[in-house]
Amino acid sequence: MALFVEVAKQKSFSKAAVTLGMPISSLSRRISHFEQMVGLRLLDRTTRRLVLTPYGEAYLAQAGRLVDEAQQALDDLVAEAKGPSGLLKIAAPPDFWVLHHLSRFITEFSAAYEHIRVHVDLKPSAIDLLGDNYDLAVTIEEPRETSLIMRKVAEIGNGLFAAPAYLDERGWPAKPHELTDHSAIVSSPGAGTTWSLDRNGEVVSVAVGGALSCNSPNLARKFALAGQGIISTHRLSVERDVANGRLEQVLPEWDLPPTPVYIVTTSRLLPAKTRRFIEFAMQQLPSMLAAGTGGEAWSKLRTDHTGVRLISP
C-alpha cells in the first residue's frame, strides 16, 4: 500500500524509487504483483508517463490517508522516545526578508530541536512540493493547487518608498491623491495599477503608473534607489536602505495592506518534525517580523516632508 501511494503521488517509478531507496525494477515488480493480487489495474504505464486508472484514483484517496496516518503514528512514537528527528526540507523564495529574518528563525529552531536537520532551497519560481519532495514551503503567494494545505503564520507590513534625490526633485506627496502626479514603479506595464492606503480605518485608493515597470521586487528596489520613482514594497525588504538614508518612506502615516506569510504542506497529517516547525513559526515569526508591521522597531524611524529622518523617543 505504501509503495503504491508513493508511486501514485510522484506519478513516476523512478522518482518514487529514489524517495523509497529501492531499485526501480523491484518497485515495479512489487506494484505489478499487488495489481495481480487485487485483480485490478491501478496504473497505466507508457514510455513517457504514468497515470492512475479510475480504480487507482479511488484506491489512492483511501490508501493515501491510511499511509499518512500510519506514518504519523510511527513518527509520534519515535518523537516520544527521543524527540522529533530527521531531515526537514524547506522551500522559500529568495527575498530579502527570507535571507535576513527567516535565516535567524531557522537558526533558533535548529538550536531548539537539535535532532532535526534542516535543508532550505531558495526557489524563485513555482514550487512543486510533492515532485521535489519538500516537507513544506514558506511563501507569500497562495498556491495554485487547491489540494495543498495553507497555514497563515505571520504578516509583513508594506509601505511606499523613494530615494531622497527623487523626492527632492519631484516633491514630497502630502496626501494619497498626490501620488497620481508621481512616477510609480509598478509590477505590470500600462494602466490599471491601484494602491490602496489605510490610515486608522480611512481607506483611499489611488491609480498610479510610470515609465518603468517590472515583476521583480528586487529590481524595483534598484530602480527606486536610482531615483526612478516610488515603489510599494515590504518594509522588511528596505529597512537597511531606510536606516542608512538611501530610501525614505512616503506617506508614513498611511499603511498598505499587509502581505500574509504562509506555510504550505501537501497534507494535514504531518510528521513530528514538520508540526514542530509550524508551531515554532506561529509562535516566533510574528514577533520577528513585527518591524515590518508598524511595530516598535520600525516606528523609531520617521520621516518629515523635508527629508530629515526623525528618531522617536
Side-chain angles (χ1 to χ4, degrees), residues 7-301:
V7 171
K9 286 183 176 180
Q10 300 276 10
K11 290 185 172 57
S12 166
F13 274 98
S14 58
K15 291 182 179 179
V18 171
T19 301
L20 295 167
M22 63 188 302
I24 298 177
S25 58
S26 300
L27 178 59
S28 179
R29 187 170 57 252
R30 294 281 296 275
I31 296 299
S32 296
H33 177 72
F34 181 49
E35 289 176 317
Q36 293 171 8
M37 183 179 66
V38 299
L40 293 170
R41 192 166 185 80
L42 304 176
L43 300 167
D44 278 333
R45 307 160 178 83
T46 68
T47 55
R48 293 188 175 181
R49 64 174 186 163
L50 181 150
V51 296
L52 292 170
T53 66
Y55 296 113
E57 291 279 5
Y59 184 64
L60 177 62
Q62 300 182 56
R65 176 176 52 81
L66 293 174
V67 170
D68 286 344
E69 289 177 351
Q71 184 62 53
Q72 182 175 357
L74 178 61
D75 288 337
D76 289 344
L77 183 63
V78 173
E80 283 291 329
K82 63 176 184 179
S85 61
L87 174 64
L88 183 67
K89 285 189 65 178
I90 301 171
D95 296 342
F96 175 83
W97 70 270
V98 171
L99 298 175
H100 184 63
H101 294 276
L102 191 64
S103 61
R104 181 162 60 95
F105 163 77
I106 291 176
T107 298
E108 294 186 8
F109 174 79
S110 295
Y113 296 96
E114 58 182 13
H115 296 299
I116 298 178
R117 295 174 292 118
V118 180
H119 174 77
V120 182
D121 273 347
L122 298 184
K123 307 279 287 189
S125 56
I127 297 167
D128 182 2
L129 278 178
L130 193 59
D132 293 330
N133 202 29
Y134 290 109
D135 293 290
L136 61 90
V138 180
T139 179
I140 59 174
E141 297 181 0
E142 296 189 17
R144 297 176 182 176
E145 297 86 349
T146 57
S147 61
L148 295 177
I149 309 301
M150 183 173 61
R151 298 168 176 83
K152 179 180 172 182
V153 295
E155 288 183 339
I156 301 175
N158 296 307
L160 302 177
F161 301 89
Y166 170 86
L167 295 169
D168 290 341
E169 179 183 351
R170 297 288 297 274
W172 290 71
K175 299 178 180 179
H177 69 83
E178 295 180 9
L179 293 170
T180 57
D181 299 325
H182 282 263
S183 295
I185 302 168
V186 295
S187 59
S188 58
T193 299
T194 300
W195 285 342
S196 180
L197 295 97
D198 178 282
R199 182 179 64 182
N200 300 322
E202 177 189 359
V203 179
V204 177
S205 296
V206 183
V208 296
L212 287 176
S213 62
C214 67
N215 65 348
S216 166
N218 291 331
L219 182 57
R221 170 181 163 271
K222 295 284 189 181
F223 285 145
L225 289 169
Q228 297 301 304
I230 301 174
I231 58 169
S232 165
T233 190
H234 309 320
R235 288 171 176 158
L236 291 176
S237 297
V238 296
E239 59 184 354
R240 289 183 178 177
D241 298 317
V242 172
N244 63 30
R246 297 203 299 168
L247 289 178
E248 299 286 356
Q249 187 171 9
V250 177
L251 298 173
E253 69 276 16
W254 292 85
D255 293 320
L256 291 166
T259 299
V261 177
Y262 301 106
I263 287 182
V264 182
T265 60
T266 58
S267 172
R268 295 187 186 277
L269 295 171
L270 302 172
K273 61 183 180 181
T274 308
R275 295 202 311 274
R276 294 295 183 273
F277 184 89
I278 294 174
E279 292 167 1
F280 200 80
M282 296 186 76
Q283 294 172 359
Q284 303 294 331
L285 268 185
S287 59
M288 284 188 177
L289 302 182
T293 59
E296 179 181 353
W298 182 269
S299 64
K300 290 180 180 179
L301 279 176

